[in-house]
Amino acid sequence: MKLDGAVSQGSGSVNEDGWGILGNADDVTAAWVFDGVTGINGRNFLSADTDAAWLVAKADDHLRSLADLELSLREIISRLVQALIIDFNAAVEELDIPKDYDPPAACLILLKRYDKAWRALRLGDSCLLARAGDGAHTILAASPNNVLDYQLAREAAQHRAAGAFDVKSLLAKFRLQLLSGRYMRNRPGGYSILEANEASTQFVDYLDLGAPQEILLCTDGYYRAVDHYKLHTDETLIEASLGKQGTDRVLAQVRAVEASDPSCKKYPRFKPADDATAVMLRKVK
């Protein structure tokens, strides 16, 4: 696989997404995308612009060595989580962390080549689209948190109608609801996420992709082009993301829609925009 294109853009001053590849642009052996979960602690505690950005940076650094080893995906994620636990415990050792602290977390999709076949793992609600040479599709695009997302979007619309447009104020208003939802991280009946907690390793989705022609990895901010704004279907999103600056053009479309609807009236959503990242891979002919 070669790297056909990539884009990553924050929706504010800090981009909590991340991505990486191993090998080189003409021969990718592994690839990944991160989507840091927006914090609701009221302040940041760790040594980065945000606590989520701290976790993403640490995990990205570890993956650059772990994903290059001859290890199964299960072993890679196990070692990654163990490394994050060590990092987090060291980072908070001398900090006064509140009892209701919401620990940093991130969605992760990791893709790795094993001989001539590709396998992937998924934690959280980022998206993987893979297309075989015959046009068949393997699609992983479900968001386990959509119910809460849409509920919060409806309630946020009421607050916006009353003049509360600031995302930070909305996060504060909905903190208890968000905490309740995040309590279900990596629990039966809940949803998976990457965090510095051994439980992360118990709720990973694994995919055997075979030898696809194209693979798109993206965070939910990029996938809004499909599920929120209906600019594309899964199939046309792959097509649009291919080629020179394909991912840039798709993201520009997403940002144009968001800019045209800053109050979230036409397209109800909790945040007017989200960090967005995509990595497009194509089989070398």
Side-chain angles (χ1 to χ4, degrees):
M1 285 280 183
K2 72 172 184 178
L3 179 64
D4 199 62
V7 68
S8 187
Q9 183 186 94
S11 57
S13 59
V14 180
N15 183 4
E16 295 176 326
D17 280 4
W19 70 277
I21 64 167
L22 291 181
N24 57 64
D26 292 321
D27 184 20
V28 175
T29 59
W32 57 86
V33 294
F34 288 105
D35 182 359
V37 177
T38 302
I40 56 174
N41 293 307
R43 55 161 289 200
N44 298 308
F45 289 82
L46 305 178
S47 57
D49 291 327
T50 70
D51 289 359
W54 176 91
L55 183 86
V56 167
K58 290 291 185 181
D60 181 81
D61 185 55
H62 291 307
L63 271 187
R64 291 182 185 278
S65 57
L66 288 172
D68 203 31
L69 301 176
E70 292 299 322
L71 299 173
S72 69
L73 291 178
R74 291 181 187 276
E75 183 64 22
I76 290 173
I77 196 64
S78 177
R79 293 195 189 189
L80 174 61
V81 170
Q82 289 300 321
L84 291 175
I85 291 172
I86 293 171
D87 291 337
F88 182 74
N89 288 341
V92 302
E93 186 175 9
E94 298 182 3
L95 298 179
D96 184 17
I97 298 295
K99 290 183 178 180
D100 63 347
Y101 176 70
D102 178 47
C107 303
L108 166 65
I109 291 185
L110 169 63
L111 177 73
K112 182 174 169 63
R113 187 178 71 200
Y114 291 87
D115 193 14
K116 295 182 180 180
W118 290 85
R119 298 173 184 169
L121 67 79
R122 178 183 186 247
L123 281 162
D125 59 5
S126 290
C127 177
L128 182 152
L129 305 178
R131 182 164 63 180
D134 61 1
H137 287 69
T138 299
I139 296 175
L140 180 60
S143 172
N145 226 1
N146 266 346
V147 174
L148 178 60
D149 286 347
Y150 291 138
Q151 176 186 336
L152 290 173
R154 289 192 297 269
E155 295 184 27
Q158 298 175 0
H159 287 277
R160 287 191 175 98
F165 286 93
D166 182 71
V167 172
K168 287 186 177 180
S169 67
L170 290 174
L171 285 171
K173 288 179 183 293
F174 292 110
R175 188 173 192 275
L176 290 179
Q177 286 173 266
L178 290 167
L179 270 176
S180 177
R182 293 182 184 191
Y183 178 76
M184 296 306 296
R185 288 173 174 170
N186 299 316
R187 292 175 178 265
Y191 61 97
S192 67
I193 204 77
L194 176 68
E195 56 184 348
N197 188 318
E198 183 66 31
S200 290
T201 64
Q202 304 303 312
F203 293 87
V204 183
D205 291 325
Y206 295 97
L207 289 155
D208 289 323
L209 303 178
Q213 191 75 23
E214 295 120 3
I215 304 174
L216 172 65
L217 310 179
C218 64
T219 62
D220 60 351
Y222 188 88
Y223 193 69
R224 280 185 173 185
V226 176
D227 63 357
H228 276 64
Y229 309 140
K230 311 301 180 186
L231 299 170
H232 292 285
T233 63
D234 288 336
E235 291 79 7
T236 65
L237 184 64
I238 293 176
E239 292 294 336
S241 299
L242 287 166
K244 188 176 181 180
Q245 297 184 328
T247 53
D248 294 274
R249 286 193 295 270
V250 170
L251 183 52
Q253 289 179 305
V254 168
R255 294 300 190 225
V257 170
E258 291 167 342
S260 71
D261 183 38
S263 60
C264 306
K265 290 182 178 179
K266 184 175 181 179
Y267 301 100
R269 55 205 190 276
F270 186 73
K271 295 189 291 185
D274 200 359
D275 301 343
T277 296
V279 175
M280 186 74 229
L281 303 177
R282 175 186 283 182
K283 186 176 181 180
V284 179
K285 295 181 179 180

